[in-house]
Amino acid sequence: MTSPQQPQPQPAPGAQPMPPAVPAPAPSAGPMPPAVPAQPAPPQPAPVEDAGTMMLQAQPPAPAPPAPAKEAGTMMLQAQPPAGGHPEPTPLSAHGPGKEAGTMLLTAAAQPPAPPHPGPVPQHASVPQQQAPAPAPAPAPAANWQAATPGYVSPIPVRPTHLGHALAAEWTKIRSVRSTVWTLGVMTVLVLGIGVLVAVSVASMSTVGDTSPLFFGLFGMLLGVLCVLPLGVLVTSSEYGTGMIRTTLAACPNRGRVLTAKALVFFALTFVVTTVVTGLVALTDNAMISDISRVHVGAGEWLRSTVGIGLYVSFLGLLALAVGSLIRHSAGAITLMVGVVLLPFVLSMFMFADSLEGVRNFLMGYSIPNQLTVMYGNKFPFVDGGPSGWQPLWIVMGLAAVALGAAYATMRQRDV
């Protein structure tokens, strides 16, 4: 027996016709007929926010098209299978109030969980939300990198330092500063120029008696010494004045090694330049004056007038270097060394009293000008006593050794 069909509700006049709803299965009815798939509705413009409308949209990483709303009182829940197949929408009809202001559309997709989002940002329904960019991985600390590569070997060779490294550093310094070129260049010009001029002037004379031809190189060397002394002072005092001594001692904490390297480099450079210059002057003087001199120059006189003068001037420069290291002030050290060279000789010239004759002879005999004269084979005629032969060289070597010892002790004890 077939039950009579229920009457279908008629739409109100002026309202849009609604599609027929699928009847829910009755408890006593037979098997439920298959669900009629919902027809897709044409795209609608984005709804304007209303006072009573709230839109909540949770989207997967890829934007999905919004589900169409069937009627005011219908909520569509679309569940997609994890993988494969086509999603089958299942309409659920909730017979609630049919007002458009109370419509809520919830679309949930069964996808793998998305990465955490900083928080819901209210956006327009038609604009898909963008995922926040993942933070960049922080760089690994240096300690972890070194721990991860325990077998790393630096390509820079690590070798223990020695005196050779300090000598190379000091040689680079002394040949790259302008003071070295100026002082040694002026000394060369003075010694050569004055030596040749004196030889030309003396060669016009008839005879020079018992004076050695090599003696006339003394006049240029007296001025040349005044050029070597400032260079010896500047080798050490200039670094104290500019503060570069801190860098030097940081690179080579052994202070004795630093002072030794400075002394050796300066001594070698001064000795070579002075010996070459005095050798040239000696050859010139001997060629021009030997015919008017009764003195025959032997090997001893040649050695003392060239190599001996070079050693004497170099040790005198070492004395200036030690004084510069002790005082650590360029102007003060240079002034003191000029006084050491000239003051005893100048003071002795004004001691005319007979009671000061012993003091006058001592000051004049051991003054630097008289010691240079002795190295050239003569001495002042009005001086009684004083050194002779190679004694001036031993005297200046002793003074330089004492001053360098004091500079070593002082440099090791005090701060820079």
Side-chain angles (χ1 to χ4, degrees):
M1 181 176 179
T2 305
S3 60
Q5 297 182 353
Q6 296 182 1
Q8 299 292 334
Q10 299 296 327
Q16 298 181 357
M18 292 187 299
V22 179
S28 60
M32 185 177 61
V36 179
Q39 299 295 329
Q44 298 293 335
V48 182
E49 287 186 347
D50 239 7
T53 304
M54 178 179 67
M55 180 68 67
L56 179 62
Q57 183 178 7
Q59 298 181 353
K70 287 296 180 181
E71 54 184 356
T74 304
M75 177 178 67
M76 178 70 67
L77 177 62
Q78 182 178 4
Q80 299 180 358
H86 298 281
E88 182 177 0
T90 305
L92 297 178
S93 177
H95 301 281
K99 298 181 179 180
E100 292 182 0
T103 303
M104 179 178 68
L105 182 60
L106 178 63
T107 304
Q111 294 291 341
H117 196 273
V121 179
Q123 294 182 353
H124 198 274
S126 63
V127 180
Q129 293 183 353
Q130 298 181 357
Q131 294 183 358
N144 296 342
W145 175 77
Q146 293 178 358
T149 57
Y152 173 76
V153 178
S154 174
I156 302 175
V158 179
R159 297 176 296 178
T161 58
H162 49 76
L163 182 60
H165 297 146
L167 290 174
E170 295 302 328
W171 169 244
T172 302
K173 293 178 188 176
I174 200 169
R175 68 181 174 85
S176 59
V177 295
R178 289 174 290 181
S179 59
T180 305
V181 178
W182 279 104
T183 53
L184 295 183
V186 171
M187 184 200 75
T188 302
V189 171
L190 289 176
V191 174
L192 279 177
I194 295 177
V196 172
L197 288 176
V198 170
V200 171
S201 177
V202 172
S204 61
M205 299 172 59
S206 59
T207 180
V208 292
D210 296 333
T211 305
S212 171
L214 305 182
F215 169 76
F216 297 98
L218 167 69
F219 301 99
M221 185 53 64
L222 286 174
L223 296 177
V225 168
L226 298 179
C227 299
V228 175
L229 298 179
L231 179 60
V233 170
L234 292 175
V235 168
T236 54
S237 63
S238 61
E239 291 196 42
Y240 284 101
T242 58
M244 283 299 296
I245 190 65
R246 298 184 180 89
T247 305
T248 301
L249 295 180
C252 181
N254 191 332
R255 301 189 177 190
R257 183 185 299 169
V258 170
L259 191 56
T260 302
K262 289 180 180 294
L264 291 177
V265 170
F266 169 76
F267 181 85
L269 178 63
T270 308
F271 174 73
V272 171
V273 174
T274 306
T275 303
V276 171
V277 172
T278 54
L280 293 176
V281 173
L283 290 173
T284 304
D285 291 349
N286 185 65
M288 300 179 67
I289 306 175
S290 61
D291 295 338
I292 58 176
S293 176
R294 294 193 298 265
V295 176
H296 175 71
V297 180
E301 287 78 9
W302 277 101
L303 185 63
R304 190 167 60 242
S305 299
T306 54
V307 177
I309 291 295
L311 291 173
Y312 184 89
V313 174
S314 301
F315 277 108
L316 195 61
L318 281 183
L319 178 62
L321 184 147
V323 171
S325 180
L326 288 170
I327 297 179
R328 299 187 296 179
H329 190 272
S330 300
I334 293 173
T335 303
L336 180 59
M337 287 306 301
V338 172
V340 168
V341 172
L342 299 179
L343 187 59
F345 181 78
V346 173
L347 286 178
S348 64
M349 295 177 62
F350 294 95
M351 295 181 180
F352 303 109
D354 295 338
S355 58
L356 299 177
E357 183 178 1
V359 178
R360 181 179 67 246
N361 289 332
F362 178 81
L363 291 178
M364 187 170 290
Y366 287 92
S367 63
I368 302 300
N370 187 61
Q371 292 186 26
L372 282 172
T373 305
V374 172
M375 293 295 295
Y376 275 101
N378 286 358
K379 67 166 52 178
F380 291 158
F382 46 86
V383 175
D384 294 334
S388 61
W390 290 86
Q391 291 181 2
L393 180 59
W394 316 139
I395 293 173
V396 74
M397 287 177 61
L399 292 175
V402 172
L404 283 174
Y408 276 117
T410 306
M411 192 175 184
R412 293 174 64 88
Q413 292 296 327
R414 67 186 176 190
D415 296 333
V416 295

